[in-house]
Amino acid sequence: MTSDANLHDIATAEERAFNADAAWQDDVRQGVRHARDLASLPLSPGERAAAHGAAANHKVRIPKAYLDLIDWNDPADPIRAQVIPSPEELEEAEGELGDPIADHDFSPVPRLTHRHADRVLLFPTYQCAVYCRFCFRKESLTAIGRGYAREALELALAYIAAHPEIREVILTGGDPLSLPDKALAEIFARIEAIAHVRLLRIHTRVPVALPSRITSGLVEALQGRLMVTVVTHFNHAREITDATEAACRTMRQAGFVLLNQSVLLKGVNDTVEVLEELCRELMYRLGVKPYYLHHGDLARGMAHRRTTIAEGQALAGALRARLSGICNPVYVLDLPEGGGKVPLGPCYVEGRDGETWRLRGLDGEVRTYTEIVGT
Ligand SMILES: *Cc1c(COP(=O)(O)O)cnc(C)c1O
Ligand code: SF4
C-alpha cells in the first residue's frame, strides 16, 4: 500500500474493473463523489445555492445505496438531512468549535488521541465512505484529509507499544472501513503484535451507508487474537434495510461484538417514536446493541440540528421507561476541552435524608430506599 489509499480512489482505478467485489464499487461509482455530482439531484433552490460553500467546509460523498434511501418528495427526509448540504450549515454561531471534543489537545503523536488511560483513538485515515453534514470532526477531515499510508502510523504504533496501560485501540477517523482489505489486515496485524492490547474497536458508518462493502474479505482481514467490536452509526430506522441486515449478519458471523452510537439530531430522530423504533430494530433485526445516544456537540454550522439538553433528557427518560435495558442507549455529552463522555440522565435521584434516599420510579412515583449496610 503506498499513500492515500481509500475505497474512493480504488474504485476509480480502471484495473479494478474485474474485481469480484464489484457490488460496493458500483455503489461508490454511481453515488455522489464530489459536490458537482449534486447538480443532477432534485435539490431545493436553497440546497443548490449552498452546495458549493458547504462543500468547501466539509466534503460531499454519498454512496448510491444511501442516496437511494432518500424520499425526494419529502423536504424534511431524515436521510437527506444527514448528507445533503443545507444553507443553514453556512451559519456559524458564536461559541461553536472547530475541535469540539479537543482531539488535538490530547494527541501526543500524529494520528492518535490518548485521553483515558486504558484506550486510545487511532486515525488510520481521514477519509470516509459518506460525509455526514453534522460530523464533529469535519474540520479535521477537511484540514488533514489524508488516507492511509503505512509510514504515517509508525509513531502512533510505537506510542501504543510503549504504553502498557493501553488495552483497547479504537480505529476511528475518518472511517476505518473505507480502507481496502489489505490495509485493514496490515493495521490489524501491527496492533495484534502488541501484547498488552486486548480489544480492537472500529467506529464506522460503512455498514449503514455502504453495506455492500462488508464482504467476507473484509471480515477475514480482522481475524486473529484480538476481540473485535464494531460500533456502527445508525441514526434512523429508515437506514435499516435488507443490505444493512446482511452486512451486520456477516459481521456477527465473523464473531464481532456489534454496538451502535447515534447522534441526537433535530428533524432527524428527535422524537420518542423514531428513537424507539431505531433502538428496537437495531437489536431485534440487526443484533446491534444501542450503546450511546450523543447529544449534539458544538461543531460549527450545526445549530439547526441541535436539540436542548432538556429535550434530550425527556427523550432518554421516555426510552428508559419503554425499552429493555438491552435496547436502551446511554444519553451522553462529550464535553468540550476533553472532559470525556458524561451521561446526561435521566436522573432518578430526587434527594436524600441521611440514609434514606428519595428515588423516582419509571412510573413517575417517588419512593424511598433506606440504606442498611453491615459493618
Ligand atoms: C469517545 C472516546 C473514547 C471511547 O469512549 P467509550 O466511552 O469507551 O466509548 C475513547 N477516547 C476518546 C478520546 C474518545 O473521544
Ligand atoms: S462517517 Fe463518521 S467521521 Fe465520517 S463524516 Fe460521518 S460522522 Fe464524520
Side-chain angles (χ1 to χ4, degrees):
M1 203 57 47
T2 52
S3 64
D4 287 14
N6 267 77
L7 284 190
H8 179 249
D9 310 310
I10 287 168
T12 329
E14 270 184 59
E15 69 270 20
R16 297 283 162 152
F18 299 104
N19 190 300
D21 289 331
W24 64 260
Q25 296 193 10
D26 285 347
D27 264 342
V28 172
R29 229 183 269 120
Q30 295 166 15
V32 169
R33 299 159 73 182
H34 311 279
R36 63 174 179 271
D37 297 338
L38 292 168
S40 61
L41 300 175
L43 303 186
S44 72
E47 287 168 333
R48 213 170 281 288
H52 188 70
N57 296 334
H58 187 32
K59 278 184 274 191
V60 179
R61 186 173 292 167
I62 316 166
K64 182 165 189 303
Y66 199 73
L67 199 60
D68 284 348
L69 299 179
I70 297 177
D71 171 5
W72 292 103
N73 295 317
D74 178 6
D77 179 83
I79 310 296
R80 179 178 187 159
Q82 293 183 62
V83 291
I84 301 293
S86 73
E88 290 88 352
E89 257 179 79
L90 301 170
E91 294 165 21
E92 295 181 1
E94 181 82 27
E96 291 183 327
L97 302 169
D99 180 14
I101 66 168
D103 282 334
H104 297 294
D105 296 347
F106 290 80
S107 178
V109 291
R111 294 192 180 232
L112 180 136
T113 293
H114 193 189
R115 186 147 57 221
H116 308 290
D118 69 339
R119 55 209 193 274
V120 291
L121 304 182
L122 182 65
F123 301 84
T125 176
Y126 287 93
Q127 297 186 33
C128 301
V130 64
Y131 289 103
C132 317
R133 304 324 297 169
F134 52 85
C135 179
F136 69 94
R137 283 211 184 102
K138 66 179 177 182
E139 300 198 25
S140 303
L141 304 185
T142 308
I144 307 170
R146 283 187 281 278
Y148 173 67
R150 189 186 289 137
E151 322 78 65
L153 293 185
E154 289 304 331
L155 283 174
L157 291 165
Y159 179 93
I160 296 167
H163 287 78
E165 71 276 21
I166 299 169
R167 312 295 180 81
E168 184 172 342
V169 175
I170 303 169
L171 302 184
T172 183
D175 197 319
L177 296 188
S178 74
L179 291 171
D181 297 348
K182 198 165 157 247
L184 288 170
E186 202 167 87
I187 295 164
F188 186 93
R190 293 295 303 276
I191 296 170
E192 186 181 42
I194 304 171
H196 53 264
V197 177
R198 308 286 303 280
L199 180 68
L200 181 73
R201 200 206 294 193
I202 298 174
H203 285 182
T204 177
R205 274 214 106 186
V206 163
V208 183
L210 186 61
S212 52
R213 173 65 191 106
I214 306 298
T215 59
S216 55
L218 182 143
V219 299
E220 272 161 32
L222 300 167
Q223 296 296 323
R225 173 184 68 84
L226 297 168
M227 179 64 75
V228 174
T229 296
V230 173
V231 184
T232 60
H233 178 174
F234 288 86
N235 289 325
H236 195 285
R238 284 259 312 281
E239 297 170 333
I240 299 175
T241 61
D242 289 349
T244 55
E245 187 184 335
C248 290
R249 188 181 313 112
T250 301
M251 293 191 291
R252 278 190 290 111
Q253 287 172 346
F256 304 165
V257 173
L258 302 185
L259 302 173
N260 184 71
Q261 47 188 348
S262 300
V263 181
L264 179 57
L265 295 165
K266 189 152 122 189
V268 172
N269 58 12
D270 62 332
T271 69
V272 68
E273 292 75 19
V274 167
L275 288 173
E276 180 181 349
E277 189 190 5
L278 169 66
C279 292
R280 288 191 190 281
E281 293 307 306
L282 279 168
M283 196 65 228
Y284 302 161
R285 186 167 173 198
L286 303 184
V288 175
K289 191 210 159 349
Y291 176 45
Y292 282 146
L293 173 63
H294 291 269
H295 184 75
D297 42 53
L298 293 172
R300 288 200 181 101
M302 276 300 123
H304 63 293
R305 291 282 165 224
R306 272 181 229 120
T307 67
T308 64
I309 290 177
E311 287 164 340
Q313 287 174 322
L315 290 167
L319 289 181
R320 179 72 231 175
R322 290 182 189 207
L323 294 170
S324 70
I326 287 182
C327 293
N328 210 68
V330 179
Y331 174 48
V332 293
L333 174 60
D334 212 325
L335 295 178
E337 299 165 21
K341 295 174 189 61
V342 293
L344 290 179
C347 178
Y348 299 92
V349 179
E350 296 277 324
R352 72 181 279 191
D353 192 3
E355 281 134 35
T356 299
W357 291 71
R358 288 189 309 287
L359 304 161
R360 193 164 41 82
L362 295 177
D363 57 2
E365 296 289 312
V366 176
R367 295 179 175 80
T368 60
Y369 172 93
T370 300
E371 294 170 317
I372 304 169
V373 179
T375 48

